[in-house]
């Protein structure tokens, strides 16, 4: 298995849009988007964020992430994390988040790396602590149907094995 990371390209956008199979997956990936995710919505998000990155497995885009907040020597907040549904559970998300942590620390010299996860995103809540993240705040959030959700904010508190 050949795993590589690179900047997202225009050619990747249709494939990334296909990763969210339903409204709930899209909400976890990109809460501000409307279903179904369009290429224009993803392009707009990429334009407003930093370091939009894909992970490739054997030359095929397997996942995507970026920073929704990035400060030199400050906080970098990882966002828009999603993996190809066919590859979920195969370690791609962990590799991608570790790469984003390394980018935050190396490129931006970040003193803090954070991310957020909804209480209903069990896969994310089980993954992020294994990567060294711990909760530090919980905010109330209204879901697409007005339901009450908890947005759990997590901070990297220990360096994962990169």
């Amino acid at each position: 298995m050949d795993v590589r990371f690179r900047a997202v390209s225009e050619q990747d956008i249709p494939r990334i849009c296909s990763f969210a199979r339903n409204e709930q997956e899209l909400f976890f990936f990109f809460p501000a988007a409307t279903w179904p995710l369009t290429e224009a919505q993803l392009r707009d998000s990429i334009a407003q964020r930093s370091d939009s990155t894909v992970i490739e497995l054997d030359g095929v885009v397997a996942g995507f992430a970026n920073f929704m907040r990035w400060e030199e020597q400050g906080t970098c907040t990882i966002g828009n994390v999603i993996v190809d549904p066919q590859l979920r559970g195969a370690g791609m998300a962990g590799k991608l988040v570790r790469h984003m942590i390394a980018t935050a620390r190396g490129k931006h010299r970040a003193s803090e790396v954070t991310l957020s996860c909804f209480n209903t995103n069990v896969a994310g809540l089980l993954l992020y602590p294994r990567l060294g993240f711990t909760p530090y705040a919980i905010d109330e959030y209204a879901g697409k149907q007005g339901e009450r959700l908890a947005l759990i904010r997590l901070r990297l508190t220990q360096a994962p094995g990169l």
Side-chain angles (χ1 to χ4, degrees):
M1 284 194 330
D2 182 31
V3 175
R4 295 181 187 199
F5 301 93
R6 64 170 173 79
V8 71
S9 71
E10 177 64 27
Q11 294 76 18
D12 302 325
I13 291 176
R15 178 154 171 76
I16 295 164
C17 286
S18 76
F19 291 167
R21 298 174 294 186
N22 56 51
E23 261 184 283
Q24 183 180 48
E25 288 182 5
L26 177 59
F27 184 72
F28 293 162
F29 164 50
F30 186 176
T34 56
W35 177 259
L37 179 60
T38 63
E39 294 177 20
Q41 288 180 91
L42 185 56
R43 273 190 209 98
D44 186 51
S45 178
I46 290 168
Q48 296 175 40
R49 293 176 177 229
S50 178
D51 300 282
S52 290
T53 300
V54 295
I55 181 173
E56 290 183 334
L57 177 62
D58 297 328
V60 177
V61 173
F64 171 81
N66 56 31
F67 294 123
M68 59 186 291
R69 176 179 171 190
W70 61 100
E71 300 170 343
E72 293 304 311
Q73 298 182 2
T75 300
C76 285
T77 301
I78 300 169
N80 287 152
V81 178
I82 195 162
V83 170
D84 178 339
Q86 302 300 317
L87 296 171
R88 291 180 188 161
M92 292 294 114
K95 289 179 184 355
L96 183 55
V97 171
R98 283 185 187 100
H99 177 80
M100 297 306 290
I101 293 166
T103 300
R105 289 190 167 151
K107 179 179 178 182
H108 300 288
R109 299 182 315 276
S111 58
E112 179 177 67
V113 181
T114 63
L115 52 77
S116 297
C117 188
F118 288 104
N119 63 295
T120 50
N121 183 349
V122 175
L125 291 175
L126 294 173
L127 170 67
Y128 298 135
R130 288 196 310 259
L131 298 175
F133 288 87
T134 56
Y136 69 91
I138 299 175
D139 299 323
E140 186 167 338
Y141 197 95
K144 294 290 186 182
Q145 279 71 48
E147 70 277 22
R148 290 177 72 196
L149 296 173
L151 181 63
I152 302 163
R153 299 193 184 277
L154 300 106
R155 174 183 295 127
L156 185 66
T157 55
Q158 60 187 36
L162 298 173

